[in-house]
Amino acid sequence: MGLYDFTIYDLINRNAICFGNRPAWYEADDGRTLTFAEYKKKVDCLACGLQWDGVKKGDRIGVLGKNSLEYFLLYGAASALGAVMLPINWRLSAEEIQFNFSDCEPEILFADEEYQDLVNGIKNKLLSIRKYYNLKPPGGSFIEFDSLLENRGDLMPAEVTVDDGYVIIHTAAVKGRPRGALLSHGNVLFADMHWNCCLQMTCEDVHLNLLPLFHVGGLFMATNSFHAGALNVNMSRFDAAKAVELIADKGVSVFFDFSPILSSILDQNEKAKNNIKSLRAVVGLDNPETIERYQKATGGTFYCMYGQTETSCVATFGRYNEKPGSAGRMIHLAEVRVVDDYDRPVPGGQVGEIVMKGPMVFKGY
């Protein structure tokens, strides 16, 4: 680890000092809460358990499950070991899941109990995987997750650089097959800083983590909130009634929206009559009617954006009211162009290919 390197694990250590006793994570399913200091302690124990189990720098850790504290702990432990997270979309078919795992060859796999029958049905094709663990305890036929935490956390962190790979997320299909996009520690940290800047995130914010952690929207909203010292309020899956309750009870201030998430929350709130005016910022994609309805109901701001997995989620960002119909301006440390087949910029209003350069651009497939 060089003098000029800073990794996700460095961030975890930094936040344990800066925000030690502040809550970092609230698990809506069962009410568990971890402070930033407690999160670091559990990450160290989990990383130590994985290290004893033979996981080393560069190894891939497969995950098939819904959002949970354990899922986010794995992201932390992987950063300490220099391992690479491989989160898989649980909505895919067995054949698609098998392809994505085989494509990236994880050493170990964590799965929720509800997906373990599926995994057992394709085990004979998952040739790289040597051990299978339950993701969310208790329950399941795989090795218990908590068995990895039964140590003092005497971790020997790996030599990890800012350019080392951190997570592989499979993205758009080419010739019928998705490709795994490799994002580095630096990609994630630079993206976090852009989100923090554009959304003006602080440690007083509360993020409702309702998008899946296998998706760049869900992952980067969770990491940028953690980066800012804010609280992540986690939902294992989206439910409008529960979301409205959490916004009101926890003072949720920000979340990422894909239609119809926001409209269903607004509909539910009209029935429940809760106070959701803490919701100062919603970012994502939606129709003008829903955006304007949200802003009128809460006084909050809707932010539009454009991005993709290969750009660490975000490339352009802006307030909806500044120019309705726009995807915003290019972010601070990026250049975004629309070019023709010869990489020449096209005039305004013309069709072309969107290209970007900057520290959020991924490491490759």
Side-chain angles (χ1 to χ4, degrees), residues 16 21 31 41 44 48 55 62 70 73 82 95-96 106 116 138 185 215 217 246 275 290 295 313-314 349 358:
N21 291 324
K41 185 175 180 180
D44 285 353
C48 191
V55 176
E70 288 72 23
L73 286 170
E95 190 275 334
E96 290 169 320
Q116 289 178 13
H185 288 255
H215 186 277
L246 289 168
N275 182 355
T290 298
Q295 294 187 148
C313 189
V314 64

Side-chain angles (χ1 to χ4, degrees), residues 263-276:
S263 62
S264 64
I265 286 176
L266 295 172
D267 289 345
Q268 177 62 34
N269 190 58
E270 287 178 0
K271 300 175 188 175
K273 305 296 184 184
N274 283 326
N275 182 355
I276 62 169

Side-chain angles (χ1 to χ4, degrees), residues 78-316:
S79 72
L81 299 175
V84 180
M85 287 287 284
L86 177 61
I88 299 297
N89 183 345
W90 42 261
R91 298 189 183 99
L92 298 177
S93 68
E95 190 275 334
E96 290 169 320
I97 288 170
Q98 179 266 313
F99 171 81
N100 287 359
F101 279 137
S102 297
D103 181 48
C104 295
E105 300 184 325
E107 285 277 318
I108 57 175
L109 171 63
F110 291 80
D112 280 344
E113 183 176 9
E114 63 184 292
Y115 304 114
Q116 289 178 13
D117 285 345
L118 182 154
V119 171
N120 284 327
I122 59 174
K123 264 187 177 181
N124 64 326
K125 297 179 180 178
L126 303 179
L127 304 181
S128 67
I129 300 175
R130 55 181 177 79
K131 279 194 176 180
Y132 295 82
Y133 285 91
N134 296 329
L135 177 57
K136 190 173 181 181
S141 59
F142 295 167
I143 303 168
E144 282 299 330
F145 184 95
D146 284 349
S147 66
L148 293 166
L149 297 172
E150 295 170 355
N151 61 77
R152 296 183 303 175
D154 297 331
L155 173 67
M156 296 183 62
E159 293 289 325
V160 184
T161 74
V162 69
D163 287 324
D164 283 332
Y166 176 55
V167 58
I168 297 172
I169 296 180
H170 280 84
T171 184
V174 177
K175 296 182 179 179
R177 293 294 192 182
R179 294 185 290 183
L182 177 64
L183 303 174
S184 69
H185 288 255
N187 290 150
V188 176
L189 292 168
F190 271 108
D192 282 354
M193 294 301 292
H194 278 95
W195 282 111
N196 284 181
C197 179
C198 293
L199 287 172
Q200 299 178 319
M201 295 288 290
T202 76
C203 62
E204 301 298 326
D205 276 303
V206 179
H207 167 236
L208 184 59
N209 190 48
L210 47 75
L211 293 185
L213 288 170
F214 63 71
H215 186 277
V216 284
L219 175 58
F220 281 84
M221 284 299 291
T223 59
N224 99 71
S225 300
F226 184 91
H227 201 142
L231 169 63
N232 272 296
V233 173
N234 182 62
M235 301 182 73
S236 60
R237 64 183 307 170
F238 177 69
D239 173 82
K242 183 65 175 177
V244 167
E245 179 184 317
L246 289 168
I247 293 168
D249 290 350
K250 297 296 181 182
V252 169
S253 58
V254 61
F255 69 76
F256 197 113
D257 167 50
F258 284 123
S259 181
I261 290 173
L262 182 56
S263 62
S264 64
I265 286 176
L266 295 172
D267 289 345
Q268 177 62 34
N269 190 58
E270 287 178 0
K271 300 175 188 175
K273 305 296 184 184
N274 283 326
N275 182 355
I276 62 169
K277 291 192 175 181
S278 62
L279 201 54
R280 68 167 187 85
V282 174
V283 58
L285 307 172
D286 219 310
N287 61 66
E289 293 77 16
T290 298
I291 294 171
E292 289 162 14
R293 182 182 165 204
Y294 150 71
Q295 294 187 148
K296 183 177 179 181
T298 66
T301 301
F302 192 94
Y303 294 87
C304 299
M305 52 85 63
Y306 166 78
Q308 56 195 56
T309 302
E310 292 88 341
T311 65
S312 304
C313 189
V314 64
T316 65

Side-chain angles (χ1 to χ4, degrees), residues 57-77:
K57 182 178 179 180
D59 287 347
R60 283 84 186 272
I61 299 173
V63 187
L64 183 64
K66 303 254 175 46
N67 289 3
S68 65
L69 171 60
E70 288 72 23
Y71 207 146
F72 202 62
L73 286 170
L74 278 171
Y75 273 109

